[in-house]
Amino acid sequence: MIQFELISTWDSDFVQAIRRHYTRSRGAPVGKKLAWAIKEDGALRGWIGIGEPSYKLAARRRLGLTDARPLENTVSNFIFRLEHRGNAKASEILRSWHTLASKQWEQRYGWPIVHWETMVDASETQSVVCGACYRRAGYRRIGETTGRTCRRPAGHTHTARVWQDGSVKNVFYRGPLPRLPLNAHK
């Protein structure tokens, strides 16, 4: 049986899992976020977390939007890391987590989750098919990132961001497909 234990995003084991997953990361992203330890039959299986989405993603335009900014009520699954073997498939874990995550997010932040996003780095995936567990859990691949990333220098939260090359990631989306009205292009 799968259980999800709500934990602090500052939990040292969770921060270490993020650093194992993203070797250049300093921890969870800034802004609103929640994290869970994934347990199967009482034993730790892995980690999962959601937070505010990226400001702009070109792939969002494939949803029928004119802007690359996120829609209201969008969250980003910033980490899903299974570190120990178990019986439940990754897609089953994702599907069972969505309901709980939506409920706990709304309790904490006061708004329901409608749109889910995640980015999967194809070069780092251990799966034969990049994002296969997300697809089986109801996500659609909507495109790729540009391969550019930005950061602020450590300890400088109000300085200009520094742009640099990063890896191209596949963008996956779960939720209703937003479409513009036919007369919106006038």
Side-chain angles (χ1 to χ4, degrees):
M1 186 169 114
I2 297 293
Q3 303 97 16
F4 300 95
E5 179 183 320
L6 189 62
I7 59 171
S8 166
T9 56
W10 293 101
D11 179 284
S12 61
D13 291 333
F14 181 69
V15 171
Q16 290 305 315
I18 290 173
R19 290 183 177 149
R20 284 190 299 275
H21 193 67
Y22 306 106
T23 56
R24 293 182 288 171
S25 178
R26 293 184 296 248
V30 298
K32 296 177 175 99
K33 56 192 163 282
L34 289 176
W36 295 264
I38 303 166
K39 296 187 175 180
E40 186 171 352
D41 299 324
L44 180 66
R45 178 86 190 270
W47 312 92
I48 194 163
I50 53 175
E52 294 181 278
S54 298
Y55 177 64
K56 285 193 173 187
L57 284 175
R60 285 190 189 115
R61 290 191 181 101
R62 299 218 24 224
L63 293 173
L65 306 173
T66 57
D67 196 353
R69 285 179 266 191
L71 293 165
E72 283 188 39
N73 300 13
T74 299
V75 295
S76 177
N77 174 212
F78 66 87
I79 185 170
F80 177 43
R81 181 176 175 87
L82 297 178
E83 296 186 318
H84 305 285
R85 292 200 176 272
N87 294 323
K89 293 181 179 179
S91 58
E92 294 169 5
I93 292 170
L94 281 169
R95 280 194 300 271
S96 63
W97 166 75
H98 281 110
T99 304
L100 173 79
S102 290
K103 185 175 168 186
Q104 290 183 344
W105 183 272
E106 189 168 4
Q107 286 173 346
R108 172 78 56 93
Y109 296 113
W111 53 268
I113 299 171
V114 176
H115 310 281
W116 302 75
E117 295 176 345
T118 194
M119 291 181 271
V120 179
D121 188 341
S123 66
E124 292 183 13
T125 185
Q126 295 175 358
S127 173
V128 175
V129 179
C130 177
C133 66
Y134 284 100
R135 287 184 184 145
R136 281 188 227 108
Y139 287 73
R140 302 168 188 85
R141 184 182 177 281
I142 60 170
E144 297 176 338
T145 62
T146 60
R148 299 284 292 158
T149 185
C150 68
R151 292 183 181 256
R152 288 190 166 91
H156 301 284
T157 57
H158 299 291
T159 60
R161 289 180 254 177
V162 177
W163 286 91
Q164 59 194 21
D165 288 330
S167 59
V168 174
K169 295 181 176 86
N170 289 290
V171 179
F172 291 88
Y173 170 82
R174 180 181 187 264
L177 290 174
R179 296 286 183 204
L180 293 175
L182 293 176
N183 60 358
H185 298 292
K186 293 180 181 180

